[in-house]
Amino acid sequence: YTVDTAYEHCVTQPFYQALNTYAEESTPQWVLDELRRQSQQVAQQNLQYTQALIELVSEIRSHDIPVIPYRGPVLASIAYGDIGLRQFGDIDLLVYRDDIPAVKEILALRGYEPRYWLESTEELTETQERVYTKFCRDYPFQNEAGIEVELHWRVVSRDFPTNITMETVWD
């Protein structure tokens, strides 16, 4: 139960490190083995996501489009000093709302396809996309390898009471 809970709450790696450091002798070997296996699996996935992040940011910036990577590998590096110590499942990129069509095209050329909330939605019309970006704050994409990318043009919901403005974030 504890191993499953650690994984569910995305703290497998720190939990494994703590047990391995402070309670190795009192922890059943199979628990340490399972946590080590899960930690290695997450670290491998994190490396794949980090490589994709570096490639995407480089490509987007090569088109003179401002982009800020955040959460995921960036947060893992800042918070833990190691991208292998924080579990994440997507790449988050902050872009200007007006740059979404150009970034969407770059993602499409790199094999990423939009993932809408409804499986029946294949493509949004220009009007639907304009409305979507007005009321939502992210645009999910996924490639064949299963790597997910979310384009964000807001860091919080429009209705969230905060003084954070996009100008502040970009500054």
Side-chain angles (χ1 to χ4, degrees):
Y1 171 79
T2 305
V3 171
D4 291 343
T5 302
Y7 187 80
E8 181 180 322
H9 290 280
C10 302
V11 294
T12 300
Q13 301 86 324
F15 184 56
Y16 169 65
Q17 281 191 335
L19 285 179
N20 202 36
T21 303
Y22 302 109
E24 181 180 15
E25 294 173 10
S26 61
T27 303
Q29 188 60 47
W30 73 267
V31 170
L32 291 174
D33 291 345
E34 178 59 20
L35 288 171
R36 182 182 315 103
R37 185 192 68 73
Q38 288 181 10
S39 293
Q40 289 171 342
Q41 181 181 1
V42 168
Q44 183 178 9
Q45 176 183 309
N46 288 2
L47 286 172
Q48 291 171 335
Y49 272 75
T50 302
Q51 179 180 354
L53 170 72
I54 292 167
E55 291 170 358
L56 286 173
V57 168
S58 177
E59 180 71 20
I60 293 167
R61 287 182 177 164
S62 76
H63 289 84
D64 293 325
I65 299 171
V67 59
I68 299 174
Y70 74 109
R71 298 197 312 204
V74 175
L75 180 57
S77 179
I78 292 169
Y80 294 103
D82 184 336
I83 62 164
L85 293 181
R86 181 178 182 270
Q87 189 172 339
F88 48 86
D90 64 8
I91 294 170
D92 296 284
L93 301 174
L94 187 63
V95 297
Y96 285 107
R97 183 175 168 214
D98 291 342
D99 289 331
I100 290 171
V103 176
K104 183 179 173 184
E105 189 174 316
I106 292 168
L107 288 172
L109 290 171
R110 292 179 106 6
Y112 290 87
E113 295 182 3
R115 284 187 48 238
Y116 302 104
W117 299 110
L118 301 174
E119 290 184 25
S120 63
T121 305
E122 291 182 20
E123 189 64 43
L124 297 178
T125 65
E126 189 175 319
T127 303
Q128 289 171 324
E129 190 162 302
R130 208 171 30 255
V131 171
Y132 180 87
T133 59
K134 181 177 180 181
F135 291 102
C136 296
R137 67 181 183 99
D138 63 68
Y139 204 151
F141 292 81
Q142 186 173 29
N143 69 8
E144 276 188 2
I147 294 178
E148 296 182 30
V149 174
E150 287 184 357
L151 295 182
H152 294 262
W153 48 95
R154 281 190 204 98
V155 289
V156 294
S157 170
R158 285 178 351 131
D159 301 323
F160 192 78
T162 182
N163 291 332
I164 297 174
T165 65
M166 287 310 295
E167 291 76 26
T168 303
V169 173
W170 284 102
D171 285 346

